Amino acid sequence: MASLARIRPRLPRKVPFAFRGLQTSADSTQLAQDASHSEPFTVRLHEDSFRSYRTETPGLEVEVTKESLLKMYKDMTSMRRMEMAADALYKQKLIRGFCHLAIGQEAVSVGLEAGITPKDFVITAYRCHPFAVLRGGSIKGVIAELLGRVDGMSKGKGGSMHIFTKSFFGGNGIVGAQVPIGAGIAFANQYSGKPVATYAMYGDGASNQGQVFEAYNMAKLWNLPCVFVCENNKYGMGTSAERSSSNTEYFTRGDKIPGIQCNGMDIIAVKKAVEYTRDWVTSGKGPILLEFVTYRYGGHSMSDPGTTYRTREEIQRMRSTQDPIRGLQRYIEEWGLATEEELKKFDKEAKIEVDKAVEEAKASPFPSDKDLWSDIYYAGTEPAYMRGREREEVHYY
Amino acid sequence: MAPSKLSSVAKTANLAASALKNGNGSVIPNAVARSLPQAGQYQALRTTGGSSVRSASSASGTKTMTVRDALNSAIAEELDRDDDVFLMGEEVAQYNGAYKVSRGLLDRFGERRVVDTPITEMGFTGLTVGAALAGLKPICEFMTFNFAMQSIDHIINSAAKTYYMSGGKQPCNITFRGPNGAAAGVAAQHSQCYAAWYGSIPGLKVLSPYSAEDYKGLFKAAVRDPNPVVFLENEIAYGESFEVSEESLSSDFVLPIGKAKIEREGTDITMVSHTRNVMHCLEAAKLLEEQYGVKAEVINLRSIKPLDVPTIVESVKKTNHLITVEAGFPAFGVGSEICAQIMESEAFDYLDAPVERCTGCEVPTPYAKELEDFAFPDTEIVMRASRKVLSL
């Protein structure tokens, strides 16, 4: 697989901003010094990994370790395996309703997690499975939720779009609603004096919701420690960014809020951008926008083949030339951190891990009718009773 | 204090609290002859001054308090009690509240706790819900609940449903408050009752207070309740004064959510109402007694969700006649729900006549007073319905 960066002649450095495009190759990062198996070492991102609005771009030098790169590889592989398992379970009709998969977008979820701390907060929209696992959940918990079992992270009551952990607020099925909620989480942290960042994530489709701009405005007005993350996978359902947005430069849409656009297919660039924005908001500079340019290989949801509004060639090209997992694989192999065989072993382990999680999830019981009535109100503060389908079907607390 | 010395209101609170604790749905009869508040104090809403909290008292020594002051002291006490509580909304801080409900709170608690927002309902509602999910206890003020239609998605989808959708992982302790229903002369977009809208949503609690004590005790309960609570106020009521008990002045005064209050005991007809329409019922009850010797029992719902059906049922079993009185639209309204609940309960067998509903008209609220007067129930309408039910 040829890297675009290596076969393309270098652009002169003085090209005006407007003519410089972001490049979204997954494997254009170069070693800046010899790779080490034990010590952190520095790599250099492609110079078009970032663009910026009202601020400087993050530096291109990134310090990495063998351990962190291998962990990111394992996590991305596991997340893809999990989504593939969900795809298969859906096709076996074991998963009901909505199911939105993030295959192709793994560098965003795993890169985000690699750049933040467990004390930071994340909220996203309906494409939420990887975040739910990475933020303290489990693959079994997600799969069991999709299967509607009691061991699901929401006891089978939320399904694909509604999965939560202590630092992950879902999982929101109303496009754009999670953005002001995210600003509110940031508000709460500022209010309580917690020096942490909140990442409020949305897609290119949601970016046109009015409440996104309402959230931007309040966040800037009150200097909230919130990173607004536009996960631009180029299509909001079946409508391309160009057909939905008068300005497709999502990182520039915050008016007075600075923004960074980042290659969302190179996980090292993602991690760097996340660290940069985390430093930004936790150092009191107020909110910042962060756009990841990424791509989903599958359809919008399981009911969308994903090929009526884009060509098969486009999907194939993205898969074969800009895949985030293959990009990181290339770094690891070229930099001599692990061999292809060792990485294949990780792939196999990920498959085993996911297969085991699926089996365990399948073994989890279905919820019973009594579970229908719990968690409507906070335990101990329920009304005396709730009504069922006919007048004698009443649940008393 | 000896139990016999407790005011009737305090007894109600105690009984209801213990009833709630014991899980029994027993009725709490409570004979209170309450002085009727003066209506038509709308102009007072526009004033910036006013009496200070707890200082108002009548010559006889009976304390009275306006709804505005009751609410103001309730908010202040909850802000004082818990640092996780904050008030956010349009004009709540520097302007002292569009209706002066939050007067003085900015000076007392500072801009961290009392936060002015831009005119951005969907945004700040979502933001306060986010703050609640993160563990704070926001009081989200709407200048009126009409504007909350801009943000109703966050009240229902984000606040009411998250606890369930998360399998009980993610509580949302938030209070949405503001004036609801019709004021005077503000036309269709500013005059709508949302009790039925919010009352239909599992996961929400919905309160609709009538008197100053209701406002104080129920608001504090709302803030302390770990669920999302919609607290429906009334703009005209803000300036109205009510007698209040000594107990209600305490910062520990909390009323139970989900318990109705029998404002006037009677044996011949039950009138079920909420918010200011309770006043029309009390006036009609007085007239019925004077003119026909009929004793009407007046139930102030206080809580729309949970709806205290047992109290209504017990009352109907005693009086055998029922009317409902509300200012909301008739279709799918609070009255409709009460009719349905009575049909489904043993009270149906005790009814000697069909239930009559008094409601707002099925029209967008008109501007002209001559039209507006026809759009909402008043004492005469309550009398008319009562006469019909009682065949008088």
Side-chain angles (χ1 to χ4, degrees):
Chain A
M1 179 168 64
S3 157
L4 278 176
R6 264 164 271 175
I7 58 174
R8 187 177 60 188
R10 290 219 156 202
L11 287 166
R13 292 199 75 89
K14 294 286 182 189
V15 172
F17 167 85
F19 295 100
R20 293 288 290 272
L22 188 86
Q23 66 87 38
T24 55
S25 157
D27 60 351
S28 54
T29 300
Q30 310 269 8
L31 280 177
Q33 63 181 111
D34 286 344
S36 163
H37 284 256
S38 53
E39 299 296 320
F41 58 95
T42 305
V43 297
R44 187 175 171 80
L45 298 166
H46 187 278
E47 62 185 357
D48 294 327
S49 295
F50 305 116
R51 291 168 69 206
S52 66
Y53 169 74
R54 285 182 174 246
T55 181
E56 300 293 307
T57 52
L60 296 175
E61 309 247 306
V62 187
E63 195 177 78
V64 296
T65 62
K66 172 186 169 180
E67 191 191 0
S68 71
L69 293 173
L70 292 185
K71 176 160 189 344
M72 290 194 290
Y73 180 87
K74 287 181 195 174
D75 283 346
M76 283 204 289
T77 307
S78 296
M79 291 304 97
R80 182 166 294 184
R81 274 283 165 201
M82 173 179 75
E83 296 289 63
M84 287 164 65
D87 182 80
L89 291 166
Y90 197 95
K91 285 168 181 162
Q92 293 166 43
K93 300 195 187 308
L94 294 172
I95 296 173
R96 320 177 69 221
F98 296 111
C99 187
H100 308 87
L101 305 178
I103 298 174
Q105 301 178 213
E106 293 87 353
V108 175
S109 54
V110 175
L112 176 77
E113 190 57 34
I116 60 178
T117 77
K119 287 184 175 167
D120 295 314
F121 294 99
V122 178
I123 184 168
T124 188
Y126 44 81
R127 206 176 302 284
C128 72
H129 307 160
F131 299 100
V133 177
L134 297 163
R135 290 267 89 197
S138 67
I139 295 173
K140 178 195 169 185
V142 167
I143 297 285
E145 188 60 35
L146 301 182
L147 295 172
R149 310 297 174 111
V150 293
D151 289 340
M153 286 170 67
S154 303
K155 302 184 199 162
K157 290 178 173 180
S160 167
M161 304 190 288
H162 307 296
I163 314 180
F164 302 76
T165 73
K166 279 197 167 63
S167 62
F168 177 60
F169 291 81
N172 196 311
I174 307 298
V175 174
Q178 75 281 7
V179 182
I181 295 175
I185 296 163
F187 177 91
N189 289 322
Q190 185 188 61
Y191 184 95
S192 307
K194 292 181 191 156
V196 297
T198 300
Y199 284 75
M201 311 190 65
Y202 53 96
D204 47 299
S207 72
N208 297 311
Q209 286 279 24
Q211 58 182 320
V212 172
F213 296 93
E214 295 188 34
Y216 289 168
N217 180 53
M218 286 183 292
K220 186 63 181 170
L221 197 61
W222 299 334
N223 219 37
L224 299 181
C226 187
V227 184
F228 293 103
V229 183
C230 180
E231 198 174 355
N232 173 11
N233 64 15
K234 304 195 178 78
Y235 298 90
M237 220 172 148
T239 303
S240 68
E242 291 72 22
R243 291 203 301 131
S244 73
S245 306
S246 60
N247 173 6
T248 57
E249 314 259 85
Y250 296 102
F251 66 113
T252 68
R253 292 177 67 166
D255 192 4
K256 288 189 165 183
I257 306 177
I260 301 290
Q261 188 187 41
C262 171
N263 173 3
M265 301 308 262
D266 183 341
I267 194 165
I268 299 178
V270 171
K271 180 172 182 280
K272 177 72 183 182
V274 170
E275 287 167 349
Y276 179 89
T277 51
R278 188 184 186 281
D279 286 347
W280 183 284
V281 300
T282 54
S283 61
K285 291 188 197 166
I288 189 165
L289 263 58
L290 173 56
E291 175 190 351
F292 291 121
V293 181
T294 181
Y295 198 81
R296 74 169 139 77
Y297 295 167
H300 161 75
S301 68
M302 293 306 297
S303 57
D304 168 27
T307 49
T308 58
Y309 48 88
R310 56 185 188 177
T311 62
R312 285 178 196 282
E313 290 70 34
E314 176 185 302
I315 304 166
Q316 199 46 47
R317 189 177 69 248
M318 294 302 292
R319 270 181 179 276
S320 60
T321 64
Q322 299 185 14
D323 184 78
I325 301 180
R326 297 288 74 78
L328 180 57
Q329 177 186 358
R330 184 169 183 138
Y331 297 150
I332 291 170
E333 289 176 16
E334 282 195 355
W335 300 341
L337 301 171
T339 64
E340 191 178 353
E341 288 66 39
E342 285 170 309
L343 293 183
K344 277 197 175 138
K345 199 169 135 254
F346 292 153
D347 295 351
K348 205 177 274 178
E349 283 168 6
K351 184 176 183 310
I352 292 166
E353 178 193 19
V354 170
D355 287 349
K356 183 165 171 275
V358 168
E359 287 317 306
E360 285 174 4
K362 279 182 176 172
S364 169
F366 289 103
S368 66
D369 57 352
K370 72 172 171 43
D371 299 317
L372 178 65
W373 304 101
S374 58
D375 308 320
I376 306 171
Y377 295 91
Y378 195 84
T381 65
E382 300 98 340
Y385 59 89
M386 297 295 276
R387 188 187 194 272
R389 293 165 294 183
E390 45 87 13
R391 76 181 168 90
E392 289 181 343
E393 190 177 61
V394 177
H395 181 83
Y396 293 91
Y397 289 96
Chain B
M1 185 181 284
S4 59
K5 295 257 181 76
L6 280 178
S7 77
S8 57
V9 173
K11 274 185 207 156
T12 307
N14 288 345
L15 282 169
S18 65
L20 201 65
K21 205 190 271 177
N22 299 332
N24 74 44
S26 66
V27 189
I28 302 142
N30 184 17
V32 185
R34 193 162 289 291
S35 69
L36 295 175
Q38 294 303 305
Q41 297 194 12
Y42 180 70
Q43 290 308 315
L45 303 179
R46 305 297 193 234
T47 64
T48 55
S51 59
S52 65
V53 181
R54 298 186 190 184
S55 64
S57 61
S58 66
S60 67
T62 318
K63 286 197 188 313
T64 65
M65 188 186 272
T66 63
V67 162
R68 178 182 292 107
D69 285 343
L71 204 43
N72 180 279
S73 65
I75 299 170
E77 285 166 12
E78 293 311 295
L79 284 169
D80 204 32
R81 177 176 179 266
D82 187 345
D83 188 64
D84 286 342
V85 177
F86 68 94
L87 173 67
M88 177 178 277
E90 292 158 2
E91 309 292 1
V92 299
Q94 288 198 13
Y95 195 88
N96 275 322
Y99 300 106
K100 307 303 165 199
V101 167
S102 54
R103 185 178 54 227
L105 297 182
L106 172 65
D107 287 346
R108 184 164 163 204
F109 295 99
E111 57 189 20
R112 174 173 169 267
R113 312 284 307 282
V114 183
V115 186
D116 275 331
T117 68
I119 299 170
T120 186
E121 276 86 10
M122 197 173 199
F124 76 70
T125 309
L127 189 142
T128 49
V129 170
L133 297 177
L136 299 184
K137 298 165 186 166
I139 302 166
C140 175
E141 173 174 323
F142 297 112
M143 198 179 288
T144 93
F145 262 97
N146 299 284
F147 307 155
M149 272 204 284
Q150 295 251 14
S151 55
I152 196 166
D153 174 64
H154 280 298
I155 300 173
I156 294 172
N157 273 319
S158 306
K161 297 180 184 172
T162 298
Y163 190 64
Y164 193 82
M165 294 192 302
S166 66
K169 264 189 190 161
Q170 183 55 73
C172 185
N173 185 342
I174 187 167
T175 306
F176 302 103
R177 57 156 288 263
N180 168 64
V186 292
Q189 289 183 336
H190 288 70
S191 307
Q192 187 172 332
C193 175
Y194 292 91
W197 288 44
Y198 294 113
S200 75
I201 305 298
L204 283 182
K205 293 187 180 179
V206 183
L207 302 175
S208 182
Y210 159 60
S211 67
E213 273 188 6
D214 285 1
Y215 272 86
K216 181 158 186 217
L218 291 173
F219 184 78
K220 289 160 68 72
V223 173
R224 297 180 191 190
D225 192 283
N227 305 286
V229 180
V230 172
F231 192 82
L232 302 171
E233 300 163 13
N234 186 290
E235 182 184 325
I236 298 173
Y238 285 151
E240 292 174 344
S241 292
F242 290 81
E243 282 180 22
V244 292
S245 64
E246 197 63 43
E247 285 73 19
S248 72
L249 302 178
S250 157
S251 63
D252 297 325
F253 180 69
V254 177
L255 289 171
I257 293 174
K259 303 305 285 184
K261 180 187 174 198
I262 296 175
E263 294 282 351
R264 182 188 205 275
E265 269 196 306
T267 50
D268 305 324
I269 179 172
T270 301
M271 299 173 172
V272 180
S273 187
H274 67 102
T275 185
R276 282 188 81 247
N277 301 292
V278 172
M279 184 185 77
H280 298 310
C281 292
L282 290 169
E283 284 171 358
K286 204 169 157 220
L287 292 173
L288 283 170
E289 180 146 30
E290 287 166 10
Q291 294 174 14
Y292 304 98
V294 162
K295 288 185 164 51
E297 180 148 296
V298 178
I299 297 178
N300 163 15
L301 282 175
R302 281 183 168 170
S303 175
I304 301 297
K305 189 177 193 73
L307 192 64
D308 188 359
V309 177
T311 292
I312 304 172
V313 167
E314 288 308 312
S315 180
V316 169
K317 283 161 80 172
K318 182 170 63 172
T319 66
N320 311 111
H321 299 88
L322 173 64
I323 66 167
T324 68
V325 186
E326 63 174 318
F329 294 134
F332 311 99
V334 173
S336 318
E337 176 62 21
I338 291 168
C339 287
Q341 296 267 5
I342 291 304
M343 289 281 284
E344 290 181 350
S345 77
E346 77 254 38
F348 178 70
D349 294 329
Y350 289 80
L351 283 176
D352 287 348
V355 181
E356 286 283 338
R357 288 184 294 152
C358 301
T359 67
C361 272
E362 205 157 21
V363 293
T365 304
Y367 165 69
K369 185 171 190 311
E370 292 67 23
L371 295 175
E372 192 191 74
D373 285 347
F374 288 118
F376 298 108
D378 54 16
T379 304
E380 178 43 39
I381 292 292
V382 179
M383 288 294 285
R384 201 194 290 175
S386 304
R387 283 193 292 260
K388 222 180 293 176
V389 171
L390 293 164
S391 303
L392 293 170

